[in-house]
Amino acid sequence: MGEATVAGNGESTGTAADTAFGAGAAASLTPVARDVAVVRERAGTGALRMSEEAAHDLLAELATLRAAVHRMIGRGGDLDTPLHFGDSFVAHTLSRKLRGAAAGGAGAAIPVLEQFGDVLTDLEVTVRTAAGLYQAAECEAGDRLARAAGGAR
């Protein structure tokens, strides 16, 4: 196991094991994000296609996942507050460690959830592109804009 280091104030700065989960979760998302980017590129070139029906089903699932992630991130703001376990070395150390695990560096829970939300957004773009839903949405938006501009004259 990793050894704890001691800061100038005598408090433990933690061990490698303390950050292993968060760092592992963040590191695990990196290859997934790369793979999604490759698939999105294939969808953009037309090499990957998806039916609109399948796309709508998948988009509904992705929306459910993204909503859950955003709820967790929203609740996470409560985690980034000092915890009051008392006024002792142990209480301050525990508070700092829990707060760091929740909202600290890149491997903390909230940043990992935000990174996961970004991957879900990329997946949504990929699905929409593969099903040709972006083109349809762009045409529809253009038609609405033209009608609105024409009606304003």
Side-chain angles (χ1 to χ4, degrees):
M1 276 208 189
E3 283 188 30
T5 57
V6 179
N9 60 5
E11 293 183 10
S12 169
T13 58
T15 66
D18 292 337
T19 58
F21 171 76
S28 295
L29 283 172
T30 300
V32 172
R34 261 186 266 137
D35 290 346
V36 169
V38 169
V39 173
R40 187 179 61 242
E41 185 178 315
R42 291 189 62 219
T45 63
L48 174 68
R49 296 192 187 271
M50 177 181 288
S51 73
E52 281 191 39
E53 181 181 339
H56 287 294
D57 291 344
L58 189 52
L59 289 170
E61 292 294 326
L62 288 171
T64 300
L65 287 171
R66 286 181 60 212
V69 168
H70 286 115
R71 276 193 308 275
M72 287 187 270
I73 291 169
R75 290 182 198 146
D78 296 339
L79 299 175
D80 193 17
T81 57
L83 304 172
H84 302 287
F85 293 125
D87 193 19
S88 69
F89 163 75
V90 173
H92 291 289
T93 301
L94 183 58
S95 175
R96 191 182 68 256
K97 286 192 172 286
L98 290 174
R99 193 172 170 195
I110 293 171
V112 169
L113 285 170
E114 289 169 344
Q115 185 181 3
F116 183 56
D118 292 343
V119 171
L120 292 174
T121 298
D122 285 349
L123 278 170
E124 180 181 337
V125 169
T126 301
V127 169
R128 288 184 185 283
T129 302
L133 296 177
Y134 271 133
Q135 293 84 357
E138 286 174 3
C139 288
E140 185 178 314
D143 290 345
R144 280 196 308 260
L145 184 60
R147 283 193 304 270
R153 290 183 189 180

